[in-house]
Amino acid sequence: MPLVTMLPLLMLMDMEASTAAGNHQVPVIVNHFNYGYASGMAPGAGIAVYKAMYSFGGFMSDVVAAVDQAVEDGVDILSLSVGPASVPTGPSAFLNVLEMQLLFATRAGVLVVQAAGNGGPSSTSILSFSPWITSVAASTTDRRYNNSIVLGNGQSFSGSGLSPPTLSEVRFPLAAASDVCKGNTSSALLTVESCQETEPFIRTLVQGKIVICTYTFDFESEAASIATVADTIQKVGAAGFVLTMDPDISSEKIKGATMTLSVPGLILNSMEASTALREYYNSNTLRSRSGRAISFRATAKILDGRQASYNSQDPVVASYSSRGPDVNNALLDTADVLKPNIMAPGSSIWASWSPNSEGDQYIKGQNFALLSGTSMATPHIAGIAALIKQKHPGWSPAAITSAMMTTADVTNGYSSTPILAQQTNQLTPATPFDFGAGLVNPSRAIDPGLIFKATFKHYVLFLCSVPGVDEMSVRRAVGVGCPSKKKAWCSDLNTPSVTISNLVGSRNVIRRVTNVAGVDETYQVIVQEPLGVSVSVRPQVFNIIAKASKHITFVLNATQTTNTYSFGEIVFQGNQNHTVRVPLAVFVSSTLHS
């Protein structure tokens, strides 16, 4: 069962491939410490890797060529964590050259899974546009890595850093980097506080101490790295380090704070904690008249930060995960397409890493790394899709996506409360523009009951319905013209969601469901109406025999002008324990018929 993983950078290839189809129960060993055991989503899947991007970025032509080669090689699933930097120009984002290449891949039977982007929590930040693509949002998990530094006065500050502890229970002297360096040091462009070079340090002063380093502008310009801090501390013989925030760049979080460390180390991502630590240090450091430190009486110990804690905390939509609504063009006109489609874990994900990679200075030389992003959520969906494809080899890409979407979770397993989304400094109930149909549920996706099918000709009809796109543009893009002159809406595409970006009066939406359960089943349709919309369904109760299909009509009537999106859902409840959810997203522009 071929599975292709194609990535934006060489450094991500191992990570994506191992997440989607890595071997079962592989020990995750970094800096001689075993962090546990990892398995890919589909350990038995075959992997084909196509290099199309480089550390500097890449060219669309190379990506298109890689997709074309993958299709020619007969892959089943394409995991794609690359996309445009912004919404493409032209009559429609759906006609962009990459979108068209992915449409042709879909026509060849290849399921395309693409990262939604890391532009959240801003709305319309999605960078995966087309309905033939499965766009993936990212959630947090309940696994946390926390570390602490305990001061001699009993104060304790939490931070990050997957590091070993300082030796035994001994508290070591604290020393600011500038107090254990040569006074007349002029080190190129780097400040001694950033702890990037060994030469400025006075070995007899620094050895056996925990060094207070500072996250200076050197880090913001990428002239410095936390990995180099750890390397410097090890070479000069210090007991460890604590990296504090600089008041001059206090608004910036410290980058790379979840990296693994070979020496005791802690990253304080709090200005309050950084200030309190320095106040303790300064009040316990004796200085000469010239200001030189002559006695280091402040002490501390760093605890073990390599042990994960699991707090049974419900997953939430990660703040960085790009949000809908989907857009049709560079003018950000919204489209009748739900994006993202589905959500999977994307924060603090362990996966394999090439030790020869030059792509990320924080993790160079390691065999595993811990990273976050929709790029890490995407291979989860690709691997789950491979499992579904193995179970149902005849299913089309649309059928596999439908199975994952209609069975996704919108409530939490721990608390049975609605899934939340991280916004700026707050949590709010997640909407379909945050997580699509919800958090993927692999066990239910294998047996969804009903699926929504769509083929190449349906996607062509969709393109012919896009506002601002004429038939000639469609013909140039896909090689065929529009199938009919009959007026159609983009919302007519047979997807497991309904999005209407401009509801004026009323609209009939028809969906065709297919019974894949293997048994006859009777369904009752339950509607949760969006604000400002009344929804009626025909038929409201129906029986569907195995392998048969049935048309369902949704009639959406505008009852209140909202001038914003409101959300609801249509649930098909079967008597054979199948529950099929279809999210609704509607923007009511007017209650008057056009």
Side-chain angles (χ1 to χ4, degrees):
M1 178 172 50
L3 175 72
V4 57
T5 301
M6 191 186 69
L7 312 134
L9 301 173
L10 175 62
M11 72 174 187
L12 286 178
M13 285 185 173
D14 284 343
M15 297 199 73
E16 292 244 1
S18 65
T19 301
N23 290 333
H24 180 62
Q25 289 284 33
V26 175
V28 177
I29 299 175
V30 181
N31 294 321
H32 310 291
F33 183 81
N34 189 339
Y35 284 89
Y37 295 86
S39 301
M41 296 293 100
I47 300 173
V49 177
Y50 297 81
K51 180 176 174 63
M53 303 289 283
Y54 302 84
S55 57
F56 63 84
F59 302 98
M60 189 69 75
S61 57
D62 290 333
V63 178
V64 170
V67 172
D68 188 55
Q69 186 63 55
V71 173
E72 185 177 333
D73 292 342
V75 305
D76 292 316
I77 298 160
L78 181 70
S79 181
L80 190 65
S81 287
V82 61
S86 59
V87 182
T89 58
S92 173
F94 305 127
L95 296 176
N96 178 50
V97 61
L98 178 59
E99 304 296 308
M100 288 296 96
Q101 186 65 25
L102 298 179
L103 174 58
F104 296 140
T106 303
R107 181 174 63 174
V110 180
L111 171 62
V112 179
V113 184
Q114 186 177 30
N118 297 325
S122 300
S123 63
T124 63
S125 53
I126 205 85
L127 290 174
S128 176
F129 312 106
S130 299
W132 48 86
I133 298 168
T134 304
S135 308
V136 185
S139 77
T140 63
T141 69
D142 67 347
R143 180 175 59 200
R144 299 288 184 273
Y145 289 97
N146 295 312
N147 203 351
S148 297
I149 183 169
V150 181
L151 307 183
N153 63 0
Q155 282 185 290
S156 177
F157 300 116
S158 296
S160 56
L162 284 71
S163 82
T166 47
L167 296 176
S168 65
E169 290 296 312
V170 176
R171 283 184 171 84
F172 293 84
L174 280 169
S178 57
D179 286 336
V180 287
C181 284
K182 301 170 185 175
N184 60 352
T185 296
S186 177
S187 176
L189 299 176
L190 298 174
T191 60
V192 294
E193 287 86 355
S194 64
C195 300
Q196 294 297 293
E197 297 175 322
T198 59
E199 190 275 333
F201 283 96
I202 303 171
R203 300 300 177 97
T204 55
L205 278 181
V206 72
Q207 287 178 357
K209 294 183 174 67
I210 295 175
V211 180
I212 302 173
C213 305
T214 305
Y215 189 82
T216 64
F217 281 107
D218 297 335
F219 292 85
E220 291 297 296
S221 64
E222 297 185 355
S225 74
I226 298 174
T228 305
V229 174
D231 186 58
T232 299
I233 293 304
Q234 187 173 44
K235 287 179 178 178
V236 299
F241 74 91
V242 55
L243 185 62
T244 59
M245 298 187 75
D246 188 333
D248 293 333
I249 52 174
S250 59
S251 61
E252 295 292 334
K253 290 293 184 182
I254 297 178
K255 300 173 183 177
T258 58
M259 70 171 295
T260 56
L261 301 170
S262 58
V263 299
L266 182 77
I267 295 94
L268 285 181
N269 235 327
S270 161
M271 181 56 66
E272 182 181 0
S274 298
T275 301
L277 183 142
R278 287 191 173 275
E279 288 176 351
Y280 165 71
Y281 170 72
N282 289 328
S283 64
N284 287 275
T285 301
L286 296 181
R287 299 183 181 276
S288 65
R289 290 181 180 274
S290 63
R292 181 173 60 87
I294 56 177
S295 179
F296 301 91
R297 297 180 179 179
T299 60
K301 64 178 179 179
I302 296 173
L303 305 185
D304 194 338
R306 300 170 298 183
Q307 302 294 335
S309 62
Y310 299 86
N311 54 13
S312 298
Q313 185 175 354
D314 293 322
V316 300
V317 183
S319 60
Y320 56 79
S321 187
S322 287
R323 314 298 168 92
D326 193 16
V327 295
N328 172 34
N329 50 42
L331 299 176
L332 301 185
D333 294 328
T334 57
D336 289 357
V337 177
L338 179 63
K339 291 294 172 180
N341 297 103
I342 194 77
M343 183 170 71
S347 296
S348 298
I349 304 299
W350 280 111
S352 64
W353 187 269
S354 171
N356 298 321
S357 171
E358 297 289 341
D360 193 317
Q361 57 185 334
Y362 294 129
I363 328 168
K364 185 176 180 180
Q366 303 296 342
N367 291 311
F368 292 90
L370 190 71
L371 287 187
S372 301
T374 55
S375 293
M376 302 311 301
T378 300
H380 283 84
I381 296 298
I384 292 167
L387 296 176
I388 298 173
K389 184 72 173 178
Q390 181 184 42
K391 179 71 173 179
H392 307 284
W395 281 13
S396 67
I400 296 173
T401 298
S402 173
M404 291 188 286
M405 288 181 64
T406 60
T407 58
D409 292 326
V410 294
T411 57
N412 292 297
Y414 291 127
S415 63
S416 298
T417 57
I419 292 175
L420 301 177
Q422 291 178 344
Q423 304 293 346
T424 304
N425 300 321
Q426 65 176 332
L427 290 174
T428 61
T431 74
F433 289 161
D434 297 320
F435 66 177
L439 181 65
V440 67
N441 187 315
S443 60
R444 287 212 305 264
I446 292 289
D447 180 23
L450 302 175
I451 59 172
F452 296 76
K453 295 181 179 180
T455 63
F456 178 73
K457 69 177 183 180
H458 297 127
Y459 294 130
V460 173
L461 182 58
F462 164 84
L463 289 172
C464 295
S465 307
V466 174
V469 174
D470 56 33
E471 182 175 0
M472 187 57 67
S473 297
V474 174
R475 186 179 293 276
R476 283 197 300 265
V478 299
V480 296
C482 297
S484 71
K485 298 297 182 180
K486 180 181 177 182
K487 180 181 178 181
W489 299 96
C490 291
S491 56
D492 292 334
L493 183 63
N494 197 46
T495 59
S497 62
V498 176
T499 301
I500 299 178
S501 59
N502 182 27
L503 179 61
V504 177
S506 67
R507 188 179 302 184
N508 288 8
V509 176
I510 299 175
R511 290 292 184 265
R512 185 171 182 265
V513 296
T514 301
N515 184 355
V516 293
V519 295
D520 299 356
E521 193 160 6
T522 299
Y523 284 90
Q524 180 180 1
V525 184
I526 304 167
V527 179
Q528 179 185 327
E529 295 177 335
L531 178 67
V533 183
S534 68
V535 182
S536 59
V537 182
R538 301 192 303 265
Q540 198 160 3
V541 178
F542 62 91
N543 182 70
I544 184 168
I545 65 174
K547 299 183 180 180
S549 298
K550 193 171 189 66
H551 285 91
I552 312 294
T553 301
F554 310 138
V555 181
L556 287 76
N557 285 290
T559 60
Q560 176 185 341
T561 301
T562 59
N563 287 323
T564 188
Y565 278 98
S566 57
F567 307 97
E569 64 180 19
I570 298 171
V571 179
F572 298 78
Q573 188 66 59
N575 65 350
Q576 300 294 327
N577 295 322
H578 291 110
T579 300
V580 180
R581 289 187 59 262
V582 176
L584 298 176
V586 183
F587 189 110
V588 180
S589 301
S590 173
T591 59
L592 302 177
H593 291 266
S594 58

